[in-house]
Amino acid sequence: NDGVIIGSSNNSLVGRDTASMPWIKNATQRSVLETREGLLSKEVLAMTTPLKNLGWQAIAEWPAKDAFSIIATIRFQIFLFSIVVIIFVAIMVWLVSRKILKPLATLNLAAKKIGSGSFSDKIKIKTGDEIEELGNVLNKMKDDLAHYIEELEKSHKQTEEHLREINKLKDDFVFMAAHELRAPVTVLKAYVAEIVDDEKLMKKMGESNPY
C-alpha cells in the first residue's frame, strides 16, 4: 500500500518506491490490463491485481514491443491457418463436386437425352454408391425402352405391309369384278335395246293398222 516493491523477478526493482506513479492508485481498486509506462521499459502491456487480504499488489509487465510482436506473429499464423483452411475447403468442395455433383450432372444430361428419344449413349458412372446404382437403373430402362420402340417399329412396319397387301387385294377384286360383270351387262343392254326396238315397232304397226 505504500508503493514499495517488496519482491520482483528483477532484483534491481526490490525496494523501489512506485507511489508517485499514477497507475498505482488506480490498480488498488480492481484488476487492470493496460498499456502504460513500465518500471523498466517506456511502454509495457501490464496487469495489476490487488491482493486485498495482504494489502499488496501483484504487477506483471511485458514490454509492448515484444507483446505486440508476438500478437503480430499470432495474427500472421491465424492468417496462414485461414488460408490453409480455405484451400482445404476448396479442395474438399472440388472432390465433393467430382464425386456427387458431376455424376448428378451426368444423370441429368442422360435423362434429357432419353426424354428426347436418344438411347444410344450409355451412362458411365463409377462412384460405388447409390448414384452409380441409379445410373445402372437408367441404363436398363434406356435399353428396355429402345427394345420396345424397336418392336413397335417392326409391328408398325408389318401393319403397313399388311395394309398395302389388303389394298392390292381390294384393287384386284374390284378389277376382276368389273371385268366379270362387264359381259353380262353388255348382254342385258343388248336385250333391253332389242325390247325397246320391238316396242317401237309394235307401236308403229298399231298406228298404221288399228284393226
Side-chain angles (χ1 to χ4, degrees):
N1 287 336
D2 57 8
V4 177
I5 297 176
I6 60 174
S8 174
S9 60
N10 189 325
N11 292 329
S12 64
L13 294 177
V14 177
R16 180 174 174 178
D17 186 2
T18 62
S20 61
M21 294 183 176
W23 53 267
I24 287 293
K25 295 179 180 179
N26 297 330
T28 59
Q29 304 299 322
R30 57 186 176 83
S31 299
V32 178
L33 177 63
E34 58 184 350
T35 302
R36 59 170 171 77
E37 182 179 356
L39 298 174
L40 293 175
S41 302
K42 289 185 177 181
E43 188 178 13
V44 295
L45 185 63
M47 181 77 178
T48 304
T49 302
L51 306 175
K52 295 181 181 179
N53 294 333
L54 299 175
W56 295 349
Q57 296 180 41
I59 301 171
E61 292 184 348
W62 194 5
K65 183 178 179 180
D66 296 340
F68 292 136
S69 175
I70 291 179
I71 291 174
T73 301
I74 293 174
R75 286 176 177 173
F76 180 71
Q77 291 174 348
I78 292 174
F79 173 75
L80 288 180
F81 178 75
S82 301
I83 294 297
V84 171
V85 170
I86 291 173
I87 294 175
F88 175 76
V89 170
I91 293 174
M92 291 301 297
V93 169
W94 180 74
L95 291 175
V96 169
S97 66
R98 282 183 59 86
K99 186 173 179 62
I100 298 178
L101 299 181
K102 187 175 181 180
L104 288 178
T106 302
L107 289 176
N108 184 41
L109 180 61
K112 288 181 179 179
K113 287 185 177 180
I114 293 174
S116 63
S118 176
F119 305 102
S120 58
D121 295 337
K122 189 174 182 63
I123 302 172
K124 297 179 181 179
I125 297 177
K126 300 295 181 183
T127 57
D129 53 14
E130 291 81 1
I131 297 178
E132 181 178 349
E133 184 177 351
L134 179 59
N136 294 333
V137 171
L138 283 177
N139 277 329
K140 186 177 185 306
M141 183 186 73
K142 176 176 63 64
D143 294 338
D144 292 342
L145 283 174
H147 176 72
Y148 293 148
I149 291 175
E150 183 180 358
E151 292 297 323
L152 285 173
E153 289 178 348
K154 288 181 179 179
S155 176
H156 180 68
K157 186 176 181 180
Q158 291 176 353
T159 301
E160 287 183 343
E161 292 178 353
H162 291 329
L163 287 175
R164 284 195 293 269
E165 292 178 358
I166 291 173
N167 287 330
K168 186 175 181 302
L169 290 174
K170 181 192 70 174
D171 294 339
D172 292 344
F173 173 78
V174 171
F175 175 77
M176 293 177 63
H179 179 72
E180 294 296 328
L181 291 174
R182 187 177 296 121
V185 168
T186 303
V187 172
L188 288 174
K189 286 174 66 177
Y191 284 141
V192 170
E194 186 175 351
I195 291 172
V196 170
D197 292 340
D198 289 344
E199 286 182 352
K200 290 180 179 180
L201 180 61
M202 292 291 293
K203 187 176 180 180
K204 289 181 179 182
M205 290 177 65
E207 290 175 354
S208 61
N209 186 9
Y211 303 102

